[in-house]
Amino acid sequence: MVKSIGKSQGKKGTDASVHERDTIYPSIAAANEVLMQRIMTEIEDYAMVLLTPEGVVASWNRGAEITNGYTAAEAVGKHCRIFFPKEDKDAELPEALLRVARESGKTNHEGWQLKKDGSRFWAGVSITALHLSGSGEIIGFLKIARDLTNMKVSEDNYSNYVEQLKQRNEELQKSEQRYHSMIAEVRDYAIILLDKDGKVLDWNKGAETLKGYKAHEIVGKSFRLFYPRESKDLHLPEQLLQQAVEQDSVYHEGWRIRKDGTRFWSSVAITALHDEEGQLTGFSKVTRDLTQKKIVEDQLSNYAEDLKQKIEDLRRSEERYYKMISEVQDYAIILLNEKGEIQNWNQGAERIKGYMADEVLGKSFRIFYTKEDAAARLPDRLLGKAREIGKVNHEGWRVRKDGTRFWGYVVITALHDNDGNVIGFSKVTRDLTDKKNADDALKAVAAQLDLKNKTLERLNDQLASFTYVASHDLQAPLRKIQFFSGRLSETEELTEAGKKFVDKINSSAVHMQNLMDDLLSYSQVSNDTSPFEMIDLDR
């Protein structure tokens, strides 16, 4: 049977080989044809439709009935346009797909399809042109469709995560030749026929491409060959066959092994096949390589886990930040929106300004300013400056809830989003009333000291005038006494007693002169910058 598939691709001698096979093995050919027809009729996961060259439904399987809602009697003879929504029919999409399949051999499409009841489902559709062996004449089309609505929803939830899952299976065809043409020309799916024990009976080009084995290398061997060792140890192949027997079909995703030993992630649908009496005759196995989908899913999973961890770290950091902010009592830390309305309130703000959080949230921060500052639009000017240069500082009187004033030091910082737009402001206020009072008291003391210093300067000026008088006006008589006593000694004949009297006068005048000089020096001590030194007071 495998030999005839290979020759049905247009190789020379095909008709002879088929005739020879059917002549030599008539019972085997008949049995295989019945078995292939069972595959078509009993597969429920795929809508498999045989179309005429004009696109009219010629055959209809159970999967098509389940997927589209039409019975075979209702669908056969109708054009495949009935499965397409109005917008696709207006765009002549069905004809375009048939044209591409006719020119290229096959075409794939994902889009909305219509059920009999008018409801829509997202379908993966594959249309393959079927050729007459030898001549290459197109004898029809195989249309394979699968309902991917759930996967479409999943892809949308994963931010346009797109994975084309186009399902193809077997051809419903009366002749074994048409069946083999259909199976042989499908390349995107590995379509395998197994016997009751899981041994390979038939093998298409998709299986050869996907798994790496030629048909003659694999036919007759167990499909366990495709499973990795760990799956074999767990008896997964046998379990899947048993589930297919119990449930009619089973779907599984997991790692599989190619001929060269490399692994690929595959989706597998195994369907149990029965004869007319309901006896198990074998299995159909449809496999597709979803390695890229698996890689993307793993990347998304890792990204989601990293993102989850970052969100948790950010949440904890934000929680610590808000806890820190809320418990700070020395500073009023307030969050404002772009209009200056209060969005957040900490314990420091409550202590300094006197408002509870529920009393002030949503109100304008202008309530903290004096009437004079509010009238002068100081709050708006501060926000405008912070918006312009990023941050502004200010000191001034603020008003508590009870109407009392406090001297506040305020820093207002503009907050921006990722695009640089101002989204609000942070406002940090500290009560510096004690410092303000101390500064004012210090300024008052300094003013008093300045007044006293000016008084002392004035007294010093008066003392300087006095010392000048003492050093100049008071010394003038002494100079005259010294002058005339000297003249008296020079011009007059004095007795000894007279000379002693004149000497006494001169020595007293000199002593008076020294005393006045010393007084002048003493008055200038405060202006003298020379260093102090030890003096013998007795001397």
Side-chain angles (χ1 to χ4, degrees):
M1 180 172 61
V2 174
K3 181 177 180 181
S4 68
I5 293 177
K7 292 187 175 182
S8 68
Q9 305 306 310
K11 294 182 180 179
K12 186 176 181 180
T14 298
D15 295 339
S17 299
V18 174
H19 177 72
E20 179 184 2
R21 182 203 58 203
D22 291 344
T23 302
I24 297 175
Y25 307 110
S27 61
I28 295 177
N32 281 343
E33 183 172 354
V34 171
L35 189 58
M36 302 312 170
Q37 293 175 358
R38 286 297 175 189
I39 292 175
M40 296 298 296
T41 57
E42 297 197 23
I43 288 179
E44 298 182 353
D45 293 336
Y46 298 84
M48 305 182 69
V49 182
L50 186 64
L51 305 176
T52 67
E54 294 77 22
V56 176
V57 177
S59 184
W60 191 258
N61 79 330
R62 186 184 303 173
E65 180 176 337
I66 294 172
T67 302
N68 295 90
Y70 294 92
T71 64
E74 294 172 323
V76 172
K78 291 186 172 59
H79 197 278
C80 65
R81 284 171 56 86
I82 66 172
F83 309 129
F84 291 82
K86 184 178 185 304
E87 59 271 20
D88 288 346
K89 286 190 274 191
D90 292 343
E92 298 185 349
L93 177 62
E95 292 79 5
L97 293 176
L98 292 179
R99 183 171 60 256
V100 173
R102 183 178 290 108
E103 295 173 354
S104 304
K106 67 176 181 179
T107 183
N108 299 323
H109 172 69
E110 277 199 15
W112 294 110
Q113 297 273 283
L114 292 180
K115 294 180 181 289
K116 176 184 176 182
D117 60 6
S119 61
R120 296 189 177 203
F121 67 97
W122 188 265
V125 179
S126 172
I127 300 177
T128 302
L130 304 177
H131 302 82
L132 187 65
S133 300
S135 67
E137 177 186 355
I138 292 180
I139 58 176
F141 299 93
L142 172 65
K143 177 177 178 288
I144 303 176
R146 188 175 186 185
D147 186 351
L148 300 180
T149 306
N150 292 334
M151 179 170 290
K152 172 65 175 174
V153 173
S154 175
E155 288 173 350
D156 291 342
N157 291 338
Y158 274 93
S159 302
N160 298 324
Y161 160 64
V162 178
E163 174 54 40
Q164 298 179 347
L165 184 60
K166 305 175 182 73
Q167 304 298 334
R168 298 176 179 175
N169 208 318
E170 303 164 319
E171 176 189 11
L172 179 60
Q173 190 67 14
K174 293 182 179 179
S175 71
E176 185 179 2
Q177 181 181 358
R178 284 189 176 183
Y179 167 75
H180 284 299
S181 297
M182 176 195 74
I183 297 299
E185 294 190 27
V186 174
R187 297 174 180 268
D188 293 340
Y189 295 82
I191 302 177
I192 306 170
L193 182 64
L194 306 177
D195 66 11
K196 292 188 295 183
D197 298 323
K199 293 180 180 178
V200 178
L201 295 177
D202 199 7
W203 190 260
N204 77 329
K205 287 186 177 181
E208 180 179 329
T209 301
L210 181 59
K211 300 179 182 292
Y213 295 93
K214 299 290 186 181
H216 69 273
E217 296 176 315
I218 198 66
V219 171
K221 295 182 180 179
S222 174
F223 84 118
R224 284 172 50 88
L225 191 64
F226 311 135
Y227 289 78
R229 182 176 184 83
E230 58 271 20
S231 297
K232 294 177 185 176
D233 293 342
L234 295 173
H235 303 290
L236 177 61
E238 293 79 8
Q239 292 177 12
L240 293 177
L241 290 186
Q242 184 61 34
Q243 290 178 23
V245 171
E246 296 172 355
Q247 305 171 15
D248 289 336
S249 64
V250 63
Y251 180 81
H252 181 262
E253 285 194 12
W255 293 110
R256 298 295 184 269
I257 304 294
R258 296 188 178 91
K259 177 183 176 181
D260 60 7
T262 58
R263 296 190 176 203
F264 66 98
W265 186 266
S266 70
S267 68
V268 178
I270 300 178
T271 303
L273 306 176
H274 304 83
D275 59 18
E276 293 181 354
E277 297 177 355
Q279 298 298 316
L280 180 69
T281 59
F283 303 89
S284 68
K285 182 174 178 287
V286 181
T287 304
R288 188 175 186 187
D289 184 356
L290 297 182
T291 305
Q292 292 301 318
K293 173 179 175 290
K294 174 66 173 174
I295 292 173
V296 172
E297 286 179 346
D298 290 345
Q299 290 175 343
L300 286 174
S301 177
N302 293 336
Y303 174 74
E305 188 63 29
D306 291 343
L307 186 60
K308 181 179 178 182
Q309 184 61 44
K310 289 179 180 179
I311 291 174
E312 179 63 20
D313 293 342
L314 183 60
R315 185 193 65 78
R316 292 178 181 176
S317 175
E318 186 174 359
E319 183 178 339
R320 289 194 298 268
Y321 169 76
Y322 278 114
K323 186 175 180 62
M324 175 190 72
I325 294 300
S326 64
E327 296 189 3
V328 170
Q329 298 191 9
D330 291 338
Y331 294 84
I333 303 177
I334 305 170
L335 181 65
L336 308 176
N337 64 14
E338 64 276 11
K339 298 179 182 178
E341 296 169 346
I342 299 166
Q343 305 296 303
N344 201 5
W345 193 256
N346 76 328
Q347 292 183 15
E350 180 181 329
R351 185 185 67 82
I352 293 174
K353 299 178 184 292
Y355 292 92
M356 302 296 290
D358 57 355
E359 296 176 315
V360 78
L361 291 179
K363 295 183 179 179
S364 174
F365 82 117
R366 296 169 181 81
I367 63 174
F368 308 135
Y369 289 79
T370 63
K371 292 181 179 180
E372 300 82 8
D373 287 343
R377 301 183 60 82
L378 176 62
D380 302 288
R381 287 189 283 113
L382 291 177
L383 286 189
K385 191 171 182 180
R387 189 189 305 272
E388 180 182 352
I389 64 176
K391 183 173 72 172
V392 63
N393 303 328
H394 184 262
E395 282 193 23
W397 291 110
R398 299 294 184 270
V399 181
R400 297 187 178 92
K401 177 184 176 182
D402 60 7
T404 59
R405 295 189 176 194
F406 69 96
W407 188 263
Y409 175 76
V410 180
V411 179
I412 299 178
T413 303
L415 306 177
H416 303 81
D417 60 17
N418 293 333
D419 297 326
N421 300 314
V422 174
I423 58 174
F425 303 88
S426 67
K427 180 174 177 289
V428 180
T429 304
R430 188 172 187 186
D431 185 356
L432 297 182
T433 306
D434 292 341
K435 178 178 177 295
K436 172 67 174 173
N437 292 337
D439 289 345
D440 290 345
L442 185 61
K443 289 179 180 178
V445 172
Q448 293 177 359
L449 291 176
D450 185 60
L451 181 60
K452 291 182 179 180
N453 286 336
K454 290 181 178 179
T455 302
L456 289 176
E457 289 176 358
R458 186 172 64 255
L459 293 175
N460 284 335
D461 291 341
Q462 294 174 355
L463 180 60
S465 298
F466 169 75
T467 53
Y468 177 78
V469 172
S471 63
H472 184 271
D473 295 349
L474 295 181
Q475 290 186 32
L478 290 177
R479 287 193 291 272
K480 290 182 178 180
I481 293 173
Q482 290 174 328
F483 175 75
F484 287 112
S485 64
R487 292 293 294 167
L488 185 62
S489 298
E490 295 173 357
T491 59
E492 299 294 334
E493 291 290 336
L494 299 175
T495 62
E496 289 298 325
K499 290 180 180 181
K500 289 181 180 180
F501 292 150
V502 171
D503 290 339
K504 287 288 187 181
I505 291 172
N506 285 331
S507 63
S508 295
V510 171
H511 183 58
M512 177 61 78
Q513 179 71 46
N514 291 335
L515 288 176
M516 295 183 68
D517 290 340
D518 291 341
L519 179 61
L520 179 61
S521 298
Y522 182 73
S523 67
Q524 296 175 345
V525 166
S526 61
N527 296 328
D528 191 355
T529 58
S530 59
F532 289 96
E533 60 181 62
M534 298 297 294
I535 296 297
D536 184 357
L537 294 182
D538 290 338
R539 188 183 63 181

